[in-house]
Amino acid sequence: MSASVPDRLAALGLTLPQAAAPVATYVATVLTGNLLVVSGQLPLEHGTLKATGKLGGAVEPETGKACAQLCFLNVLAQVQAAIGDLSRVRRVVRLGGFIACTPEFTQHAAVMNGASDLAVAIFGDAGRHARSTIGVPSLPLDAPVEVEGLFEIV
């Protein structure tokens, strides 16, 4: 990858937010060996949820996709807080997406592509990852999307 991660973020018009503090009995990240696990992140923007509600209900798929992208930026903020330099990310290994939705909603993958597409845009081929995307009845604070991650670190 020729451009640095900060350069790619800038080219996309994006900046990393401040890493959010955990709000319950867990830690934001766990580094074990060369793997960094990042706890689920919500679509917080300046401390406020970008949207609330369920996909298939009050939240449109494009809004959900934008929320997934914001969740991934919050995941990266946790990575940076944990290791200090995003250039140490060798690979995005896995992303997990949780989509709060109505029972009829079936566009989970399209929503989660907000996070996945951004991972590839930022990290190139090293951003291609395994993924699970799951519909759930609710998420904390009535968030429509939550994303967790697993990264290989050098």
Side-chain angles (χ1 to χ4, degrees):
M1 170 179 358
S2 58
S4 70
V5 172
D7 289 344
R8 286 187 179 205
L9 284 167
L12 294 166
L14 300 171
T15 56
L16 287 185
Q18 182 74 25
V23 296
T25 309
Y26 65 94
V27 293
T29 60
V30 171
L31 181 62
T32 181
N34 65 339
L35 295 176
L36 180 69
V37 181
V38 181
S39 294
Q41 300 296 303
L42 300 177
L44 292 170
E45 192 169 46
H46 308 294
T48 304
L49 287 172
K50 181 174 185 70
T52 57
K54 293 180 177 31
L55 279 293
V59 180
E60 294 295 324
E62 282 303 311
T63 300
K65 187 174 181 178
C67 285
Q69 181 182 52
L70 185 54
C71 288
F72 185 70
L73 284 175
N74 284 308
V75 166
L76 288 185
Q78 295 293 353
V79 173
Q80 182 166 291
I83 64 172
D85 182 0
L86 291 176
S87 69
R88 292 184 56 204
V89 173
R90 173 175 280 167
R91 173 119 205 188
V92 180
V93 176
R94 180 189 178 279
L95 294 179
F98 303 92
I99 313 299
C101 60
T102 63
E104 307 81 29
F105 185 77
T106 60
Q107 299 175 40
H108 306 80
V111 169
M112 188 56 184
N113 280 345
S116 293
D117 292 347
L118 186 55
V120 174
I122 293 170
F123 294 102
D125 282 340
R128 296 190 184 284
H129 52 273
R131 181 176 95 178
S132 295
T133 305
I134 302 163
V136 297
S138 68
L139 288 168
L141 306 176
D142 198 26
V145 180
E146 182 173 345
V147 175
E148 64 185 11
L150 178 65
F151 297 80
E152 182 183 5
I153 307 301
V154 293

